[in-house]
Structure formats: structure tokens, C-alpha cells
Amino acid sequence: MEKVMLNQIQNQVATVNNYGREEFEAPTNITIKGILRLLMANVDSDNGKRVISLGLGDPTASSCFSAPAVAQQAVVDALCSNKFNGYPPTVGLPQTRIAIAGYLSRDLPHELSPDDVYVTAGCTPAIEMTLSILAQPGSNILLPRPGFPIYGLCANFRNIEARYFDLLPDKSWEVDLDAVEALADHNTVAIVIINPGNPCGNVYSYQHLKKIAEVAQKLNIVIIADEVYGHLAFGTNPFVPMGVFGSIAPVFTLGSLSKRWLVPGWRLGWFVMNDPTGIFKNPKFIERVKKYCDICGDPATFIQAAVPHIIEQTKEAFFTKTLKMLKQTSDICYEMIKEIPCISCPHKPQGSMTMMVKVNLSLLEDITDDIEFCFKLAKEESLILMPGLAVGLKNWLRITFATDPTSLEEGLGRLKSFCQRHSKK
Ligand SMILES: *Cc1c(COP(=O)(O)O)cnc(C)c1O
């Protein structure tokens, strides 16, 4: 059983090398959810331990992270008003676009127009939309490694070649900008920047973001800014939206209510054109975006209708509480990892809900890679961690710290005893 599933993942990963890049390891045909399903199936229910999952980034599994009551009330009110049972315009309800444009403009030097905003059923469809509208025969896209596997998967479906640049663990996971320049050619359409970062938990400085924009300008490409963790920054660097540099290079900002409002199941997100110099504002391109919206279908009308209230009425105290919690749980993770000899964390997380840690396999006796590590861990300890390979970094692990401190401490305790048990004597 275990062998079969291990092979299943390893085969999936092995077929990835579509473009002949030797060092290319980021999977373009597996998803985090797919691997988690296999890991969960491998848990041994006879070991008497409850399952602790630090695998998937869904904070709602823990009662410490629950949606603001005002947001819930806004949805109830919108639903019960009986005004929002029909189809919305496929680009989104006007009031929803206005509210999102206003919300994002708070942090920008320029004012977004509601017409710059397209409402999507979460950030994932916004990713799919962006790649679909940019896809052209022969085009390629620059993706971060480690990163978010949906981008590679989506690129594959659209016949866009995915080219991976490294994030540098010793430089707070900053983008290797030399590598970006070396990878790009005249068929490169875009670069993806995820900030605050999943999986690394990094938050980029203003200066670094500006440098990224300057490189994009030089390469004449658009920046896809995945800001699904926007404002979830609890370290020294404040969150700066990429759109701030929209006049250097055009920015497509992707986001959703999912993470900041802790409602990933509500499926409400956005694709926003941060393009003050108007490079993409030609009627043909806008037509293409609108057509794509017609194909895709919208989030539920009553959820859209609730967005203005959700944005206006959610109190600062709600956000502060979430940040405090994430700071606490990420600190617990960072400190407890320090106590495990075969695992190290090069950069203390400053944002998002996940972090990357490195496994030193030379200290372990009977484990050959991160996938075997995670499978044995699931079986022996009922603890689910994400193998680094799933996000493009072999022999690392991704840990989600958005969970209650008690489970986290218990989970990391199990990780420690697992490592001790498998250490070379
Ligand atoms: C969670 C996540 C998404 C998807 O967001 P949804 O709104 O749930 O679709 C996209 N990008 C990154 C980096 C994420 O972590």
C-alpha cells in the first residue's frame, strides 16, 4: 500500500521534466491537495494518535482562526434580502468592484478604477484567468521555486512553458534576479511574485519589490502579484503591495478574502489590473479578459453583495488578533525546530501561514528523501507535513503554522521524536 502511493508521487514528479531543464524539479502536474490525500491515506489509524495536519494551509480547521462575525452577518443579510438570487454580471457586481478597488487603493499611490477589478471565485480562478489571458503560442512564464504548484499546473494546461527562478534561503528568500534575467527571452510573458510568501513565510522589503519591478520593466514583462496573504505580515518588514510599482511595470494583482478574512470556503477573490500607464488598457485585451469572465462564471451573487460590508465593517482588532496568533504560532515553530538536530530553518517566518525547513538527510538512518520522510511520519506519528518537492524544493518540508498552539506543540513534539528515532546512532 505504502509502496504504491510512494511510487505514485515519485512517478508524477518524474514526468515533470517537460522542457529538458536538468535542474528542473518543480512539479507541474501535482497539487498540494493531491499529495495530502495520499499522505492522509497512509496514516495508521491503529497507532492511537489523533491526526495532526500541518500540511494544508486552511486555518479554519482550528478554532483559533475563525471568520469575523460582521462578515458572517453581511452574508446572511445579503442572502436574506432576496435581492441577490440572480446572475451577477460576469465581471462582478458593480458595488463589489467598487469596494475592492477602494480597499486596494488605500495602499497605492494611484487610484484604481472599479473597471480594473474582476471578481473571481477565489484567488485560484484568478491565477487560472491570468495565465489563460496571457497564453500565446510559444510563450513562457517565470515562476518562483519554491512556489505555489497551481501556477505550474495551470501553465501546463495552457501550454505555457514554466521556467523556474530560485528564491534564496540565505537572503530571506529574495528573488534571484540574475537568474530571472538569464531565464527570460522574447517569449516571456510574465513573472510571478508571491508576497507575503507561501511556502517560505517571507515578506519582501520595499527596496526588493522595486528591484523586481525594474527587472520586469527591462524585460518588458508583466508582474503577476499573488497577494492572497496581503497584510498577513507580522515581522519587521511591513506588507507593501506590488501595485505600488505599477508605473514601473504593469502589475496584475491577485487576491481573495480567503486568508485575511479566514474564509477560504466562501470563494471570493479578484484579478486586478494595476496598470497606471495603461500598457494593457487596449480594447482588445480588455475584451479578452471579459470573454474569459464569461467562460468562467462568478462567485455566488450574495457573497459578492456582502463584500462592501465585509470590507467596511471588519474591525482592525480582528486583523490584529490574527496577526498576533500567527506571530505566536510561527515563533513556536521556529523555536521548536531549533531543538531538532536534523531539521533547520534558514529564515524566521515574517508573514503568511507557512514556512520552509530543510532536512539534513545525512543524519538520518533509513530515510532517503522528503517524500519518504513525510510518508513515514504520517504512518508512525499521524502527523502530516508537506514534502518540499510538492512546492519545488527537494528534501525540504513545508510546515503550516496556522493552527492552535496546542496541536502545533504536540505535532512538533512528534516530529522531534520521529527524528530521534530515525537518527544515525
Ligand atoms: C491559498 C493560496 C491561493 C488560493 O487562494 P483561494 O482564494 O483559496 O483560491 C493562491 N495563492 C497562494 C500563494 C495561496 O497560498
Side-chain angles (χ1 to χ4, degrees):
M1 179 84 165
E2 181 183 354
K3 203 80 209 155
V4 171
M5 287 199 245
L6 245 162
N7 284 343
Q8 216 169 324
I9 291 194
Q10 278 158 346
N11 287 342
Q12 286 184 41
V13 174
T15 55
V16 160
N17 202 341
N18 295 344
Y19 301 104
R21 306 181 68 82
E22 267 313 300
E23 82 285 17
F24 184 88
E25 266 170 2
T28 49
N29 54 0
I30 53 173
T31 61
I32 286 182
K33 290 189 178 102
I35 289 202
L36 284 176
R37 279 193 292 270
L38 296 173
L39 285 172
M40 286 301 263
N42 203 46
V43 165
D44 180 0
S45 47
D46 296 334
N47 71 14
K49 294 173 181 145
R50 72 177 176 116
V51 176
I52 296 181
S53 178
L54 309 178
L56 184 63
D58 185 346
T60 63
S62 141
S63 59
C64 301
F65 295 98
S66 53
V70 284
Q72 293 171 0
Q73 192 57 48
V75 172
V76 170
D77 291 346
L79 178 66
C80 295
S81 74
N82 235 356
K83 285 190 223 154
F84 302 106
N85 299 330
Y87 286 118
T90 55
V91 292
L93 284 179
Q95 62 267 45
T96 311
R97 300 176 88 191
I98 292 171
I100 295 168
Y103 167 65
L104 296 175
S105 295
R106 288 181 202 164
D107 304 309
L108 296 174
H110 54 270
E111 193 79 17
L112 290 167
S113 150
D115 291 338
D116 296 328
V117 177
Y118 298 84
V119 184
T120 59
C123 187
T124 309
I127 295 173
E128 162 40 40
M129 171 169 172
T130 313
L131 268 58
S132 300
I133 59 178
L134 289 174
Q136 286 164 16
S139 54
N140 67 71
I141 188 168
L142 310 181
L143 303 180
R145 176 177 54 202
F148 189 63
I150 295 281
Y151 285 93
L153 194 65
C154 234
N156 242 18
F157 266 92
R158 298 290 164 200
N159 288 317
I160 305 177
E161 178 191 345
R163 296 185 178 178
Y164 289 84
F165 60 86
D166 287 326
L167 305 182
L168 305 169
D170 301 328
K171 288 190 169 173
S172 334
W173 297 106
E174 285 190 348
V175 174
D176 182 349
L177 287 169
D178 294 335
V180 167
E181 292 204 37
L183 283 174
D185 60 23
H186 61 279
N187 285 323
T188 305
V189 288
I191 179 171
V192 171
I193 301 295
I194 304 170
N195 182 55
N198 174 8
C200 303
N202 55 298
V203 177
Y204 289 141
S205 68
Y206 180 97
Q207 283 312 326
H208 188 60
L209 291 168
K210 187 162 179 230
K211 273 192 208 148
I212 294 171
E214 285 162 356
V215 171
Q217 179 186 43
K218 187 169 156 194
L219 300 173
N220 204 13
I221 58 178
V222 58
I223 301 170
I224 300 169
D226 184 326
E227 292 173 0
V228 78
Y229 291 102
H231 296 279
L232 291 178
F234 43 79
T236 44
N237 289 347
F239 166 64
V240 177
M242 195 80 222
V244 165
F245 306 103
S247 51
I248 300 179
V251 176
F252 294 165
T253 300
L254 318 183
S256 73
L257 296 182
S258 304
K259 310 286 164 70
R260 194 178 188 210
W261 272 270
L262 305 172
V263 290
W266 290 10
R267 311 313 303 143
L268 191 296
W270 47 82
F271 163 88
V272 175
M273 288 171 62
N274 253 301
D275 180 23
T277 57
I279 293 172
F280 280 91
K281 283 185 185 141
N282 66 70
K284 252 185 149 166
F285 188 79
I286 302 290
E287 217 19 64
R288 191 170 162 81
V289 177
K290 287 184 177 161
K291 276 195 187 128
Y292 190 80
C293 291
D294 288 345
I295 299 172
C296 247
D298 264 3
T301 314
F302 66 92
I303 302 276
Q304 292 196 46
V307 168
H309 282 107
I310 293 174
I311 288 175
E312 278 159 32
Q313 291 175 3
T314 305
K315 297 267 189 314
E316 209 42 52
F318 168 78
F319 298 129
T320 319
K321 180 170 163 248
T322 308
L323 288 181
K324 206 174 139 198
M325 201 66 214
L326 290 173
K327 168 101 180 76
Q328 185 194 343
T329 54
S330 63
D331 283 348
I332 291 174
C333 254
Y334 187 72
E335 295 306 323
M336 286 185 77
I337 291 294
K338 271 193 201 159
E339 304 299 313
I340 307 177
C342 68
I343 298 182
S344 58
C345 177
H347 178 66
K348 192 172 180 185
Q350 290 205 4
S352 89
M353 299 175 174
T354 57
M355 66 199 275
M356 290 296 283
V357 298
K358 190 172 180 162
V359 186
N360 185 345
L361 289 165
S362 69
L363 298 178
L364 296 172
E365 196 156 53
D366 51 356
I367 293 175
T368 53
D369 61 18
D370 53 336
I371 292 179
E372 193 176 14
F373 187 101
C374 290
F375 267 83
K376 287 191 166 161
L377 186 65
K379 195 175 187 70
E380 294 172 26
E381 299 287 346
S382 298
L383 172 65
I384 310 292
L385 295 184
M386 182 59 53
L389 194 55
V391 293
L393 218 48
K394 195 173 162 67
N395 298 336
W396 289 64
L397 306 168
R398 188 188 79 163
I399 304 178
T400 301
F401 50 78
T403 190
D404 63 283
T406 317
S407 302
L408 196 60
E409 279 166 7
E410 188 181 336
L412 294 167
R414 290 186 203 172
L415 179 63
K416 187 173 181 179
S417 42
F418 176 83
C419 289
Q420 278 164 350
R421 201 163 57 243
H422 290 274
S423 282
K424 284 188 180 147
K425 302 294 175 299

